[in-house]
Amino acid sequence: MTVLPEACGLLVVRTGFSGQDAWQAVRAALGVTDEESFVEEFQDEVEVVDDPAYTDLTSDQLLALLPGGYTNPILVVVDNAALESAELPLLVVDLADERGRTFRVIPAELPSIQINLSIANMDFFEFADSADADGVFRGFGAS
């Protein structure tokens, strides 16, 4: 398997190829500004990997392919489950305290997670434990 590319920003890896329209919606959603206007800064911090070589890889398999210098606290996976849901719930994988722990997040909430984890303002578990019963984080107080 091919090692993931070196990245300065957050890696968003496409492993699902079930629909190009849904993929384009994910790409567009990563550029939507939230109420705190994080996206303008956030877009420059995201590195998207759109390569069929990673088709259907699990989060554990992707962890094994991370480059040695990758220091971001999370990895984001766009799998078929994300692409087949209207909410496009991306899989977030912890790379720090609980390496390998996952939860899903709607794209609009991803900038907040990335920023808060990057500056150590919050911990992974605070987002994961706040996911709704279906495992998707939609924001604090969203349920």
Side-chain angles (χ1 to χ4, degrees):
M1 285 190 251
T2 307
V3 173
L4 288 163
E6 295 286 333
C8 296
L10 171 64
L11 273 174
V12 175
V13 182
R14 181 181 185 187
T15 64
F17 289 82
S18 61
Q20 191 61 24
D21 289 343
W23 172 242
Q24 292 306 321
V26 168
R27 295 295 305 259
L30 291 174
V32 174
T33 304
D34 67 10
E35 61 270 354
E36 296 174 5
S37 301
F38 279 127
V39 124
E40 188 172 318
E41 297 170 18
F42 183 68
Q43 275 182 313
D44 296 336
E45 301 297 321
V46 174
E47 298 197 29
V48 176
V49 177
D50 182 6
D51 185 339
Y54 302 106
T55 300
D56 295 329
L57 292 184
T58 66
S59 58
D60 287 337
Q61 290 170 315
L62 291 171
L63 287 176
L65 299 177
L66 282 172
Y70 185 68
T71 59
N72 203 287
I74 59 174
L75 171 70
V76 176
V77 181
V78 184
D79 56 7
N80 285 325
L83 296 174
E84 293 168 1
S85 170
E87 286 187 297
L88 306 170
L90 310 173
L91 186 67
V92 180
V93 184
D94 187 12
L95 302 179
D97 296 332
E98 298 178 70
R99 188 173 178 86
R101 183 177 180 190
T102 64
F103 68 92
R104 291 192 176 272
V105 63
I106 60 171
E109 291 297 323
L110 184 58
S112 176
I113 293 169
Q114 168 63 12
I115 290 165
N116 278 293
L117 293 177
S118 292
I119 62 172
N121 186 50
M122 296 179 76
D123 293 315
F124 186 90
F125 78 87
E126 293 176 89
F127 294 101
D129 292 352
S130 296
D132 291 337
D134 62 358
V136 179
F137 179 79
R138 295 178 176 87
F140 293 107
S143 335

